[in-house]
Amino acid sequence: MTAVNETQWAALEQHRQQIQGQHLARLFAADPERFKRLHRRLGPLLLDFSKQRLNEDTLQHLFALAEAYDLRGWIDRLFAGEPVNHTEGRPAMHWALRLPTGKTCLVDGKDVTALVQAQLERMDVLVSKIHAGQWRGATGEVITDVVNIGVGGSDLGPLMVSEALADFAADTAAPLRMHFASTMDGSQLAQLLRTLDPHATLFVISSKSFTTVDTLSNAATARQWLERSLGDCAGLLDCHFLGVSSAAGKMTEWGIAPDNQLQIWDWVGGRYSFWSAIGLPIALTVGMQGFRDLLAGAHAVDEHFREAEWAQNVPVLMALIGVWNVNVLDINALAVLPYDGRLKQLPLYLEQLEMESNGKSVRRDGTPVEHSTCPIIWGDVGPNAQHAFYQLLHQGTEAVACDFIMPARRYREQAHSVAARELLAQHELALANCLAQSRLLALGDGALDDPEALPAYQRYRGNQPSSTLLLDELTPYTLGMLIALYEHKVFVQSVLWDINPFDQWGVEMGKRIAVQTLERLRGAAVTERSDASTEGLLAFIQGNHK
């Protein structure tokens, strides 16, 4: 850490000591204009951070910290395609997947935009063919079910977005149902295969490396199921499998024909990949225009992130507020609370995006970090969470920051016209709960009439910080914006923590040890025993326990 960085961290700590006794209820009571000054608009999105435990002086200190860590330089390097993923010697160019036609991006002399657009055109052809009922199974039936087989970023992103945008389902010649299988134990796939028609099922195998054991195990099971069900049909693999990977040769070796392959690239991290052909299930759900709208929303945030000054830069503000909470206020948990059932997978998605990216303890120069890094991310759909863990948020002993996420308008789509009045009333109920819960968490007893008359167990301490992200509506465009905000927030925080957010070495060694353990489970002779716990568990599993 440089002397300049140390000075800025010290200034933040001194500032904390100056304001630490100021409860949020007191801050709102003293300043009727607090919301006006502590919220930002970005097109159809609004970020309200007036319920965070900070003031405008806090922001100035945080902006100085960003300057001390050369945040602007790091943003420029990210968008210049430099190898910001230094442990793997790669750029991180998920933003390039969102570039519109006409915007040339050259990296090492290659036109990245042309590569991306070529794959989008291939996706368009496949999606159009499937939607029109022209893609047939090996025995001539129209495809009615598509199963995405992937794990991690090849599953969580497509699943989250497909479910979130189900109201925008594309018109198809016949009903098309999307399914997802990721668990290596086969449980999801086993349940699916009991209900699917093999004659009318298409599998999409999504794996960046095409070596992930979870995915290939599920793919092998699907292949065997088809072979048992359909016999030795000509063109079985050609009719029932698509592949998405950076490893074309491995897809071909597995049996996926080149015409059935879509490409991604090494410069796309798995958890940043649904903007690429990994997002094929999304395009199959909402159509290619809906998918392009998703990309357009994210690109709008990319441009904002690159150009806006810190005081107006929404992802930068989100990131700096997170750093303030974690590193200065010592709040090491963030609850993600969407008040819209369509976003039920969003907390899981953000768990991977944030904790796999910034769950690091080694700085870029190989030395241990000197500050806490990523908080624990968790959450659920807000109304469900109210009946699960809000008790801890309101009256527990832990400080937890919260992100409330909500569309202001809903049920305007034609699909809901019959029951629109009743559904609108339910949306209003969800909105009211979202606003009320964030208010009570912030103000505590200050939100109540005559709290002194209540017994201690009915009192609320408040002062739990939160931000609210309010969308005009949940659409492909606004969802693209929302996810891009969190992606750039992760990058900004990685700069201030001096870590690499684009690798994930922490998950690799466990996979290697699992291979050795699998050999033991299957009876292979070994020269070295493992620890006593593992030996005892293996003995129990193999039926040799005494």
Side-chain angles (χ1 to χ4, degrees), residues 21 116 136 161 194 205 216 255 258 275 473:
V116 171
R136 302 295 178 112
V161 177
R194 287 199 297 266
I205 307 175
L216 293 183
W275 314 100
E473 294 182 83

Side-chain angles (χ1 to χ4, degrees), residues 249-502:
K250 287 186 171 63
M251 286 192 285
T252 302
E253 182 180 344
W254 193 88
I256 298 175
D259 287 347
N260 289 12
Q261 298 177 11
L262 291 168
Q263 182 184 6
I264 58 174
W265 302 273
D266 284 342
W267 42 261
V268 180
R271 56 193 173 277
Y272 298 88
S273 65
F274 76 72
W275 314 100
S276 71
I278 292 290
L280 179 61
I282 302 169
L284 288 169
T285 300
V286 301
M288 281 303 297
Q289 184 56 54
F291 189 74
R292 290 183 182 276
D293 289 344
L294 182 79
L295 301 181
H299 177 68
V301 170
D302 295 338
E303 295 293 284
H304 167 79
F305 179 52
R306 295 180 69 174
E307 297 171 359
E309 61 184 28
W310 301 149
Q312 302 302 321
N313 199 308
V314 176
V316 170
L317 288 166
M318 290 170 62
L320 294 177
I321 291 167
V323 168
W324 167 254
N325 285 335
V326 170
N327 298 117
V328 186
L329 300 185
D330 199 26
I331 300 174
N332 294 306
L334 174 64
V336 178
L337 306 166
Y339 272 74
D340 188 312
R342 295 171 294 179
L343 294 173
K344 65 182 179 180
Q345 301 292 340
L346 180 63
L348 286 174
Y349 175 80
L350 292 179
E351 286 173 17
Q352 186 199 26
L353 176 63
E354 298 214 24
M355 292 195 287
E356 191 166 80
S357 295
N358 284 345
K360 311 289 173 58
S361 58
V362 177
R363 298 193 305 178
R364 287 182 174 272
D365 65 3
T367 59
V369 298
E370 298 174 343
H371 299 280
S372 295
T373 58
C374 186
I376 296 170
I377 312 292
W378 53 298
D380 198 354
V381 176
N384 293 346
Q386 290 178 194
H387 298 276
F389 54 79
Y390 271 42
Q391 173 63 41
L392 180 146
L393 298 182
H394 283 299
Q395 293 184 321
T397 59
E398 297 297 322
V400 178
C402 299
D403 279 0
F404 291 89
I405 302 170
M406 186 75 187
R409 296 186 295 175
R410 193 177 171 188
Y411 297 121
R412 289 152 46 88
E413 300 85 8
Q414 183 62 34
H416 302 300
S417 59
V418 174
R421 180 176 299 178
E422 299 91 337
L423 291 171
L424 280 171
Q426 289 193 256
H427 179 59
E428 291 168 351
L429 180 62
L431 275 171
N433 272 269
C434 180
L435 300 181
Q437 293 291 345
S438 66
R439 179 169 183 255
L440 184 58
L441 282 170
L443 305 184
D445 285 350
L448 308 178
D449 295 328
D450 194 19
E452 291 77 12
L454 298 173
Y457 58 82
Q458 290 185 11
R459 301 289 292 271
Y460 296 85
R461 73 178 187 278
N463 218 31
Q464 292 276 53
S466 70
S467 295
T468 299
L469 274 162
L470 199 60
L471 288 64
D472 180 14
E473 294 182 83
L474 179 61
T475 65
Y477 187 88
T478 60
L479 184 60
M481 293 185 71
L482 179 67
I483 301 306
L485 286 176
Y486 277 95
E487 287 181 346
H488 294 317
K489 167 200 163 183
V490 165
F491 179 68
V492 172
Q493 290 181 334
S494 78
V495 171
L496 272 61
W497 291 328
D498 195 21
I499 56 178
N500 179 7
F502 299 117

Side-chain angles (χ1 to χ4, degrees), residues 63-129:
F63 298 154
L65 186 70
E67 293 295 335
Y69 278 88
D70 188 29
L71 177 59
R72 179 61 64 191
W74 277 102
I75 293 173
D76 291 343
R77 287 189 279 278
L78 174 73
F79 284 98
E82 294 185 20
V84 291
N85 179 357
H86 70 284
T87 64
E88 297 176 296
R90 296 173 181 168
M93 294 178 57
H94 43 283
W95 53 269
L97 300 170
R98 284 109 65 151
L99 288 171
T101 55
K103 282 213 168 188
T104 302
C105 174
L106 295 176
V107 176
D108 294 333
K110 296 180 180 178
D111 186 350
V112 170
T113 310
L115 296 175
V116 171
Q117 293 299 324
Q119 290 304 306
L120 287 173
E121 292 301 322
R122 286 178 58 79
M123 283 178 65
D124 200 345
V125 170
L126 290 172
V127 169
S128 297
K129 192 172 182 180

